[in-house]
Amino acid sequence: MSLDADTEYVGFWARVGAALLDTILLLVVSALLLWSIYALSDWEQRAHTAYWVEFAIGYVLPVVAVMALWMLFASTPGKMGIDAIIVDARTGGKPSTLQFVIRYLGYFVSTIPLGLGLIWVGIDPRKQGWHDKLARTAVIRKKRTRP
């Protein structure tokens, strides 16, 4: 999808909704994985594997899942639910892997100062948060027509 008259930048509340859906899906997947691993192990085995399993599921899985979805679809399930995709802000094409990595790391920059970089989506004319600005990306969708 390119930046043209038929597209619009996705605003703050739509992106909050998409992020909430993504978070819920990730929590469900993580909980099911943890339950299945711990339900099948005995107490002694849990003590040896708990740290690594929880680290992998709590920290590694989200990074891998988000990066894989971004690279494959330029979107996440939440963004797909609102017909939104991540694009290169200059060309409207698919961002590079480096842009996706910068965008992911940019979430930390956006979140640390009281979430101001995320709130920026509601202020910016192109609806870009600081993570978008750092990575030179934008979140767009086809314009919705109202009846």
Side-chain angles (χ1 to χ4, degrees):
M1 189 181 301
S2 63
L3 301 170
D4 57 27
D6 290 338
T7 60
E8 66 181 351
Y9 295 104
V10 180
F12 178 78
W13 290 111
R15 289 174 68 171
V16 167
L20 285 173
L21 178 59
D22 290 336
T23 301
I24 291 167
L25 288 172
L26 193 56
L27 284 172
V28 168
V29 169
S30 297
L32 289 173
L33 284 171
L34 287 169
W35 178 80
S36 65
I37 290 167
Y38 288 144
L40 299 174
S41 64
D42 60 23
W43 284 104
E44 286 181 25
Q45 186 180 3
R46 280 185 208 170
H48 296 294
T49 61
Y51 174 77
W52 294 107
V53 168
E54 290 171 12
F55 177 80
I57 292 173
Y59 294 97
V60 177
L61 175 66
V63 174
V64 171
V66 168
M67 291 301 296
L69 288 164
W70 282 356
M71 287 190 280
L72 289 171
F73 306 109
S75 195
T76 59
K79 283 183 181 60
M80 290 176 201
I82 59 169
D83 297 323
I85 61 167
I86 304 163
V87 297
D88 182 288
R90 288 173 289 183
T91 66
K94 187 173 181 181
S96 68
T97 301
L98 180 59
Q99 283 176 287
F100 284 136
V101 170
I102 292 168
R103 188 173 197 273
Y104 193 91
L105 295 174
Y107 275 121
F108 296 102
V109 175
S110 294
T111 306
I112 289 171
L114 304 174
L116 184 59
L118 301 173
I119 295 168
W120 203 261
V121 172
I123 300 167
D124 190 76
R126 294 177 71 188
K127 308 298 182 198
Q128 290 176 293
W130 293 355
H131 53 288
D132 288 312
K133 291 195 178 291
L134 287 168
R136 296 187 178 115
T137 60
V139 179
I140 64 170
R141 66 179 166 196
K142 290 266 186 218
K143 278 190 179 174
R144 296 182 177 208
T145 56
R146 299 183 190 245

